């Protein structure tokens, strides 16, 4: 079985995987990083979004062997030194989550959006979130959270 | 101390773990030595099983065991039980076929489980499942209500003639017929309440674990009510006594009803864990969820409303057919009956109501409660019919509602369909919503939209629902086979912090915060010193779980009752410590004081004395400060309110844009306004999904066409508007908090408001009704078919 070595949340990681093992399975089942979730099997829901070499990607649509040597950031690596990232803080402050299952993917997508568009408006946020499903919130407060999170990040 | 009590928008205690990826959902749990189950499911909607050959699969790499229904038979494994019996018009019981955990001789829907492969990895189990050879003989298929009722139709169950599960009625038929005979006008409407797939974002999962040393079983499962699962699975399916079975429902990623029920996979992994002597884990993939989670709604209804010359509602006559799917899910029979027809008075004084409901079996996934459960169906019917009646009478849609409202002076109000409303103010929620939506300014907005070539419409719904299920004796008389009280254990720790063990379950509702606010308020403690624990039969005394917006109304009341006991005992302890008489002790803001003096003891002092009883009335009082209360509600609660939708339709494409959505809901006393607003917004999103986007479709051969998130239209961020939410409280009169419940109002009030708005927008085409989901295709076709009529 192939061996995959990569950097996850700034730390080296390595695991033996099957050829067909998905990145999300590597993260959840081999590396114990269960914050990244699986909500569907057709790449629709976005609960599994992580960053690979700085780009948001649905970790259910990429094989583990494809991330050999890559830098992967998961939800577990977003808060630093026990302090929430401003985007996480914005979700908390604006009640941008209920059951929490879609939340890791939402936060990772939001960070990707803001990286490319530091001041997204409501319409841009809603369109960007096309690939992230939430069944609890109706998105209203997620949109508010991302607006607030983006503003806080600009102010840093 | 910051105000963290009742009425404060306290930020949620649970958010930290969810935001940092440290939630603990069932699939995040791994037990040492765990194996993985893959369920082999029927690819046919209806077939006889002639033979199942598992030999090749059993020899495949990594496979520990393969089991079929025949392997479970020697252990006399029972069928999945149904928790509610409904009677026919003649008093005879409904048809209640067995619901095997693994199908033995016949499969009745695509997705029906027939075998389970248990292997060292998920992939190995899935690979081996491909090697199982099931010899099926396909049988004729029934998928729709119309098919099921057709003369000479094939039978899903041989002993259920006409595929009828029950033919039920409520109300006074003679009084209704008499009222219709003298009616000035009759408004008539045929409508479909579309079938939905709940699709909580977390797929169901279950882990069975068995300890051969003690004989103890543990089931980790995605459940809204772990004690109910322990009872149903233990007593009816696996024959395990409660003291040897622990059910844990940790963080659960949304439920919306679909995680109430006892499912086959829970029994399979628990039973199999003992057979293979290792933990067994199963996690649904989303395709399996579509084929195995209970679906919602699926009604076809004809309704008639008799009116007098002033537009007063004289009588309502309703005939509904409900699709229950292939088997009876846990609470399925109650949904189109007691949770539907009892709400048909709505907020109106209609004096006579008669409703008959025929429930049928089909070769489809079982149907059960989905957010709102029966009440969205009732409010959709009534609020559409109110608009049709207004058109029939050439009256204003708001005016006809107002003149039929139950007045504020009429409470308690006994409806003609069994329930009694305790409180409400329907004019107030209507007024507030109309004002917030600027109903008065609509004509100008419509004129402006017309200039842009858009069809603009506005719609209103004034809905009611019933929550806080339920007084146990009432529910029992109506066919419930369980009690419906709730339980709270308030465990005061020696240094004065509090752990609450609640029988409710939070899967997004924020109980860990809201319930802690109740404790902070009542016991005068910092909210950080309060922890709310739920979801583990090994820790919590008992409970009936969370569904039907019952948690605060029933579980919150149990918590208040348990805190009252804590305070009562605390007063006795304080009286001893302060050398005063118990009757002179007052408790306020976390302090026990002697009335009229400055002598007091803090809550912490009293707790410490209870656990270190050196100076303590041991001769008359037990040590410790730990109280449990069971609370059985005295009545249902009746949240109500008004939703206003405003839409713009593009006549060239049929695309509908929701330009405004306004809700004003009476959910009783609000504990955490931020959470209530979030619950309403989420409910409205599901209502918009039902009205405009979502539809579960089987083709005529019984195959699910909408079996993935690529085919089933889940609401996405760019489909939805911002939702303006306001509340106007009248207090529930029969529970100590005055709360009514807010989890379902959004999905109940919104679909009729939206469809009413769309019919209003399409009024110039003479379109009188449009079915849900009102997709662009449906709207465009309605416009096209209306055009010739308009031209003529």
């Amino acid at each position: 079985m192939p061996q995959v070595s990569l950097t996850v949340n700034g730390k080296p990681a390595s695991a033996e995987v099957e050829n067909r093992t998905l990145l999300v399975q590597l993260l959840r089942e081999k590396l114990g990083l269960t914050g990244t979730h699986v909500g569907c099997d057709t790449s629709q829901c976005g609960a599994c979004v992580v960053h690979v070499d700085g780009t948001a990607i649905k970790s259910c649509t990429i094989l583990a062997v494809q991330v050999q040597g890559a830098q992967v950031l998961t939800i577990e690596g977003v808060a630093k030194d026990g302090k929430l990232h401003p985007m996480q803080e914005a979700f908390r402050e604006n009640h941008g989550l209920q059951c929490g299952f879609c939340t890791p993917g939402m936060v990772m997508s939001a960070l990707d959006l803001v990286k490319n568009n530091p001041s997204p408006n409501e319409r841009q946020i809603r369109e960007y979130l096309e690939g992230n499903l939430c069944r609890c919130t109706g998105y209203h407060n997620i949109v508010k959270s991302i607006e607030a999170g983006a503003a806080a990040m600009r102010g840093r | 101390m910051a105000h963290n009590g009742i009425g404060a928008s306290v930020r949620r205690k649970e958010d930290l773990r969810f935001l940092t990826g440290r939630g603990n959902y069932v699939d995040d749990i791994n037990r040492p030595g765990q194996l993985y189950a893959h369920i082999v499911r029927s690819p046919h909607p209806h077939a006889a099983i002639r033979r199942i050959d598992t030999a090749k699969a059993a020899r495949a790499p990594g496979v520990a065991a393969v089991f079929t229904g025949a392997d479970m038979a020697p252990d006399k494994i029972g069928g999945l039980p149904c928790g509610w019996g409904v009677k026919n018009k003649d008093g005879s019981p409904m048809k209640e076929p067995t619901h095997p955990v693994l199908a033995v001789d016949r499969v009745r829907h695509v997705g029906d489980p027939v075998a389970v492969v248990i292997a060292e990895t998920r992939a190995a189990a899935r690979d081996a499942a491909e090697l199982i050879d099931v010899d099926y003989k396909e049988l004729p298929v029934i998928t729709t209500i119309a098919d099921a009722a057709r003369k000479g139709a094939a039978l899903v169950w041989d002993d259920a003639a006409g595929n009828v599960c029950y033919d039920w009625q409520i109300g006074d038929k003679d009084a209704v017929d008499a009222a219709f005979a003298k009616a000035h006008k009759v408004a008539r409407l045929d409508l479909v309440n579309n079938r939905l797939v709940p699709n909580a974002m977390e797929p169901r999962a279950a882990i069975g674990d068995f300890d051969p040393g003690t004989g103890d079983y543990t089931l980790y499962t995605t459940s809204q009510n772990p004690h109910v699962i322990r009872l149903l699975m233990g007593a009816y399916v696996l024959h395990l006594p409660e003291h040897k079975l622990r059910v844990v429902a940790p963080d659960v990623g949304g439920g919306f009803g679909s995680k109430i029920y006892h499912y086959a996979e829970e029994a399979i992994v628990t039973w199999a864990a003992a057979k293979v002597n290792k933990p067994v884990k199963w996690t649904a993939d989303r395709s399996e969820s579509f084929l195995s989670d209970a679906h919602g709604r699926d009604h076809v209804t004809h309704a008639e409303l008799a009116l007098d010359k002033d537009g007063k509602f004289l009588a309502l006559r309703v005939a509904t057919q409900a699709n229950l799917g292939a088997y009876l899910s846990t609470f399925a029979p109650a949904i189109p009956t007691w949770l539907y027809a009892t709400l048909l008075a709505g907020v109106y004084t209609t004096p006579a109501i008669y409703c008959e409901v025929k429930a049928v079996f089909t070769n489809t996934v079982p149907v059960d409660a989905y957010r709102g459960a029966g009440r969205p169906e009732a409010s959709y019917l009534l609020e559409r019919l109110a608009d049709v009646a207004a058109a029939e009478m050439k009256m204003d849609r708001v005016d006809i509602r107002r003149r039929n409202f139950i007045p504020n002076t009429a409470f308690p109000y006994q409806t003609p369909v069994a329930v009694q409303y305790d409180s409400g103010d329907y004019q107030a929620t209507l007024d507030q919503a109309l004002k917030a939506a600027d109903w008065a300014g609509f004509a100008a907005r419509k004129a402006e939209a017309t200039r842009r070539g858009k069809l603009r419409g506005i719609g209103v719904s004034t809905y009611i629902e019933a929550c806080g299920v339920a007084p146990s004796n009432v529910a029992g008389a109506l066919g419930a086979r369980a009690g419906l009280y709730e339980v709270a254990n308030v465990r005061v720790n020696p240094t004065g912090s509090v752990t609450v063990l609640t029988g409710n379950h939070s899967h997004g509702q924020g109980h860990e915060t809201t319930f802690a606010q109740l404790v902070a308020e009542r016991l005068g403690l910092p909210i950080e010193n309060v922890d709310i624990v739920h979801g583990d039969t090994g820790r919590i005394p008992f409970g009936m779980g969370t569904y039907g917006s019952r948690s605060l109304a029933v579980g919150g009341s149990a918590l208040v009752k348990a805190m009252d006991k804590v305070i009562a005992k605390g007063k006795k302890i304080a009286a001893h410590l302060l050398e005063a008489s118990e009757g002179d002790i007052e408790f306020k803001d976390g302090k026990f004081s002697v009335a009229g003096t400055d002598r007091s003891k803090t809550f912490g002092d009293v707790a410490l004395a209870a656990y270190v009883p050196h100076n303590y009335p041991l001769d008359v009082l037990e040590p410790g400060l730990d109280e449990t209360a069971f609370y059985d509600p005295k009545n249902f609660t009746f949240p109500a309110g008004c939703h206003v939708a405003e839409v713009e339709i593009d006549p060239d494409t049929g695309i509908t844009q929701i330009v405004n959505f306004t809700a004003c809901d009476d959910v009783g006393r609000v504990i955490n306004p931020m959470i209530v607003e979030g619950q309403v917004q989420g409910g409205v999103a599901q209502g918009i999904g039902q009205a405009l986007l979502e539809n579960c479709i089987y083709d005529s051969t019984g195959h699910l066409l909408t079996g993935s998130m690529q085919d089933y239209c889940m609401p996405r961020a760019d489909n939805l508007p911002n939702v303006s939410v306001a509340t106007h409280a009248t207090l529930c009169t029969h529970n100590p908090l005055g709360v009514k419940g807010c989890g379902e109002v959004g999905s109940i009030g919104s679909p009729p408001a939206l469809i009413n708005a769309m019919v209003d927008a399409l009024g110039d085409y003479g379109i009188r009704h449009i079915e849900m989901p009102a997709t662009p295709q449906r709207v465009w076709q309605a416009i096209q078919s209306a055009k010739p009529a308009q031209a003529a």
Side-chain angles (χ1 to χ4, degrees):
Chain A
M1 284 205 292
Q3 183 84 16
V4 176
S5 299
L6 68 167
T7 306
V8 181
N9 301 331
K11 292 188 194 125
S14 174
E16 211 171 55
V17 298
E18 287 187 63
N19 288 329
R20 60 182 167 181
T21 302
L22 301 168
L23 172 57
V24 68
Q25 293 169 326
L26 167 66
L27 293 169
R28 289 183 55 81
E29 293 165 22
K30 301 277 181 179
L31 303 179
L33 294 167
T34 55
T36 301
H37 296 153
V38 180
C40 76
D41 48 11
T42 50
S43 291
Q44 295 291 303
C45 82
C48 67
V49 171
V50 300
H51 294 183
V52 175
D53 293 331
T55 301
I57 191 161
K58 288 180 176 171
S59 61
C60 72
T61 53
I62 183 169
L63 296 168
V65 290
Q66 290 176 275
V67 296
Q68 183 76 262
Q71 298 272 345
V72 173
L73 178 70
T74 72
I75 189 68
E76 288 93 342
V78 173
K80 290 273 182 294
D81 308 321
K83 200 171 169 325
L84 290 181
H85 184 282
M87 185 60 76
Q88 292 169 312
E89 190 57 49
F91 269 73
R92 199 186 73 88
E93 186 58 29
N94 292 283
H95 191 27
L97 63 154
Q98 290 183 23
C99 82
F101 197 79
C102 76
T103 309
M106 287 287 176
V107 170
M108 299 312 287
S109 283
L111 292 174
D112 188 63
L113 166 65
V114 173
K115 191 172 149 192
N116 297 308
N117 176 1
S119 306
N121 63 30
E122 185 200 328
R123 186 44 37 200
Q124 289 166 331
I125 294 170
R126 286 187 179 276
E127 280 168 12
Y128 185 84
L129 290 183
E130 208 266 344
N132 287 82
L133 293 176
C134 168
R135 194 55 153 168
C136 293
T137 63
Y139 305 97
H140 180 115
N141 285 343
I142 291 177
V143 174
K144 258 171 68 183
S145 301
I146 295 174
E147 280 175 338
M153 287 167 69
R154 290 196 299 275
R156 275 209 297 192
Chain B
M1 191 166 72
H3 174 50
N4 284 327
I6 292 174
S9 284
V10 176
R11 299 307 187 259
R12 298 199 323 168
K13 290 162 78 83
E14 44 272 83
D15 285 357
L16 184 65
R17 67 178 187 272
F18 295 141
L19 280 164
T20 53
R22 287 176 175 79
N24 184 38
Y25 302 89
V26 174
D27 191 56
D28 301 342
I29 296 170
N30 294 296
R31 304 293 302 153
Q34 158 186 300
L35 301 175
Y36 296 84
H38 182 84
I39 311 280
V40 178
R41 297 179 184 279
S42 170
H44 300 296
H46 197 188
I49 299 174
R50 286 195 283 222
R51 187 180 49 84
I52 305 177
D53 184 350
T54 60
K56 263 195 208 160
R59 289 195 302 270
V63 170
V66 181
F67 298 114
T68 65
D71 297 314
M72 298 186 102
D75 290 342
K76 301 199 169 18
I77 301 305
L80 300 173
C82 177
W84 202 300
V86 164
K87 289 194 164 65
N88 289 302
K89 287 172 180 166
D90 64 6
S92 60
M94 66 182 187
K95 290 288 178 197
E96 192 170 349
T98 54
H99 187 176
V101 170
L102 287 171
V104 177
D105 52 3
R106 200 153 144 191
V107 288
R108 288 183 167 85
H109 67 86
V110 173
D112 213 353
V114 294
V116 57
V117 180
I118 294 163
E120 284 166 14
T121 65
R122 285 181 217 258
R126 186 180 284 254
D127 288 347
E130 297 287 322
L131 303 173
I132 292 182
D133 182 19
V134 187
D135 183 7
Y136 292 104
K137 178 181 184 288
E138 291 186 57
L139 297 170
V141 174
I142 299 293
T143 56
T144 64
I145 289 169
D147 288 347
R150 197 160 287 141
K151 205 164 177 238
L155 294 181
V156 179
W157 292 94
D158 296 340
D159 64 345
N163 291 306
V164 174
C165 174
Y166 56 74
D167 185 5
W168 174 90
Q169 65 180 350
I170 191 170
D172 186 339
K173 186 168 189 296
D174 294 340
V176 167
D177 290 345
F180 269 88
K182 60 174 191 189
H184 172 69
K185 283 216 162 157
V186 175
R188 293 185 176 84
L189 185 62
D190 288 284
L191 51 77
V192 173
N193 205 288
N194 43 323
R195 186 179 183 116
L196 303 175
V197 182
N199 272 323
M201 289 315 300
E202 178 204 24
R204 286 190 300 113
I207 306 170
D209 201 348
F210 175 66
D211 182 338
T214 60
D216 289 344
Y217 290 80
T218 304
L219 167 68
Y220 302 86
T221 183
T222 48
S223 176
Q224 302 178 209
N225 29 236
H227 286 88
V228 175
I229 301 305
R230 185 181 65 165
L231 177 65
L232 294 177
M233 185 175 83
Y236 296 95
V237 184
L238 298 185
H239 314 300
L240 300 173
E242 280 103 327
H243 68 290
K244 304 308 280 179
L245 174 58
R246 176 180 168 208
V247 178
V248 183
D251 288 329
V252 171
F256 316 112
S258 70
K259 292 171 181 168
I260 297 171
Y261 323 115
H262 177 34
Y263 286 100
E265 297 85 359
E266 294 169 322
I268 292 170
V269 296
T270 308
W271 175 81
K275 290 285 164 201
V276 299
N277 221 348
K278 285 194 172 165
V280 175
K281 180 183 204 171
W282 168 81
T283 306
D285 58 30
R286 181 59 60 182
S287 303
E288 267 185 299
S289 306
F290 275 96
L291 296 176
S292 66
D293 293 3
H295 293 172
R297 319 280 195 258
D298 206 346
H299 286 193
V300 175
T301 294
H302 174 74
E304 299 175 337
L305 181 66
L307 297 122
D308 75 5
K309 62 180 178 12
D310 300 319
K312 286 282 276 182
F313 302 165
L314 297 176
L316 176 68
R317 186 154 55 200
V318 177
T320 291
Q321 293 170 284
N323 187 347
L324 297 182
Y327 302 96
L328 293 181
S329 175
T330 312
F331 290 111
I335 311 308
T337 51
W338 299 111
L339 291 180
Y340 163 68
T342 52
L343 271 300
L344 286 174
V347 291
Y348 309 115
T349 53
T350 317
I353 297 173
Y354 175 71
C355 176
E356 52 191 342
V357 179
K358 190 182 273 189
V360 299
F361 294 112
T362 60
N363 294 113
T364 62
V365 169
V367 177
D368 207 326
Y370 165 62
R371 201 170 194 168
R375 294 149 287 164
E377 295 90 316
S379 93
Y380 179 61
L381 159 71
L382 271 182
E383 292 305 305
R384 283 291 301 122
L385 198 53
D387 266 28
V388 171
E392 200 72 42
M393 297 292 296
K394 299 190 171 45
M395 284 176 66
D396 178 74
R397 293 172 287 164
V398 172
D399 184 43
I400 201 167
R401 286 174 165 83
R402 281 193 199 281
R403 68 173 63 192
N404 284 286
F405 276 167
I406 296 162
N408 293 359
T409 50
F411 296 106
Y413 178 79
Q414 178 62 51
T415 74
V417 275
V419 293
Q420 189 185 77
Y421 303 158
D422 61 328
S423 65
D425 186 345
Y426 312 134
Q427 301 280 3
T429 43
L430 173 64
D431 287 340
Q432 201 173 325
L434 293 182
K435 186 155 182 261
D438 188 22
W439 182 275
F442 173 72
R445 297 194 294 278
K446 184 177 173 75
E448 186 276 331
T450 306
R451 286 196 290 279
R452 283 186 283 112
K454 295 287 167 60
L455 309 170
R456 194 153 173 139
I458 194 164
V460 64
S461 88
T462 48
Y463 70 91
I464 192 166
E465 64 144 333
C467 294
V469 284
S472 293
N473 53 357
V474 174
L478 302 183
R481 294 165 179 169
L484 288 158
Y485 46 83
E486 201 41 80
V487 185
N489 171 214
V490 175
R491 188 169 292 174
V492 182
N493 300 306
T495 58
S497 69
V498 169
T499 306
V500 173
L501 300 117
T502 170
N504 289 129
H505 188 278
S506 184
H507 31 279
Q509 296 88 343
H511 297 166
E512 290 170 41
T513 305
T514 311
F515 282 30
Q517 287 179 252
L518 298 181
V519 178
E521 171 97 17
R522 188 85 180 94
L523 300 184
L525 300 175
I527 200 162
E528 307 76 53
N529 291 6
V530 184
D531 243 14
I532 309 296
V533 178
H534 58 93
D536 185 348
T537 66
R539 295 186 70 188
I540 292 129
F542 203 74
M544 299 309 295
T546 286
Y547 39 84
S549 311
R550 72 192 296 272
S551 296
L552 258 183
V554 191
S557 297
L559 175 53
V560 169
K561 208 173 147 189
M563 286 194 288
D564 286 346
K565 290 187 187 179
V566 164
I567 292 166
K569 184 169 180 184
K571 282 183 178 173
K572 289 187 170 65
I573 300 167
H576 173 87
L577 295 175
L578 294 162
E579 296 175 344
S581 114
E582 188 192 328
D584 291 338
I585 304 291
E586 290 173 343
F587 180 72
K588 201 173 169 238
D589 299 332
K591 267 190 200 157
F592 294 92
S593 337
V594 182
T597 74
D598 60 356
R599 293 193 300 133
S600 68
K601 289 284 176 188
T602 65
F603 186 76
D605 294 337
V606 167
L608 193 64
Y611 286 95
V612 187
H614 296 167
N615 173 19
Y616 193 87
L618 284 167
D619 48 340
V620 292
L621 207 57
E622 291 172 22
L625 198 50
D626 184 328
E627 298 288 347
T628 298
F630 282 57
Y631 176 83
D632 203 276
K634 296 184 181 74
N635 189 1
F636 295 87
T637 63
F638 296 96
C642 176
H643 289 189
V644 179
E646 192 164 334
V647 300
E648 270 189 18
I649 297 172
D650 182 335
D652 295 330
T653 62
I655 291 174
T656 301
Q657 194 198 349
I658 304 167
V659 287
N660 252 316
F661 196 98
T662 309
C664 180
D665 302 299
D666 177 0
V667 298
R669 191 188 305 285
V670 171
I671 308 300
N672 184 320
M674 175 190 81
I675 288 179
V676 168
E677 201 173 305
Q679 288 291 308
V680 174
Q681 286 161 347
V684 167
Q686 290 181 0
I688 293 172
Q690 167 157 35
L692 298 183
L693 306 166
E694 299 178 39
N695 204 12
C696 175
I697 305 171
Y698 281 90
D699 70 11
S700 60
T701 67
H703 291 269
L704 182 61
L705 294 182
T706 50
S708 82
M709 285 176 170
Q710 285 179 304
D711 309 298
Y712 183 87
C713 191
M714 291 279 284
R716 291 168 198 261
D718 54 354
N719 300 131
L720 297 179
N722 282 318
V723 173
S724 148
V725 178
T727 55
H728 174 93
T730 63
L731 299 187
C732 171
T733 60
H734 56 78
N735 67 43
L737 291 164
V739 296
K740 296 185 180 179
C742 67
E744 295 162 296
V745 293
S747 64
I748 291 169
S750 57
L754 283 153
I755 299 298
N756 285 344
M758 293 183 69
V759 171
D760 182 48
L762 296 168
D764 290 347
Y765 290 88
I767 291 166
R768 198 171 155 271
H769 180 62
I770 189 155
E771 295 288 7
M772 300 191 293
T775 57
Q777 185 188 13
R778 274 195 176 149
V779 172
W780 187 84
Q781 278 173 344
I783 290 173
Q784 298 311 307
S785 4
K787 267 180 176 168
Q790 200 187 29

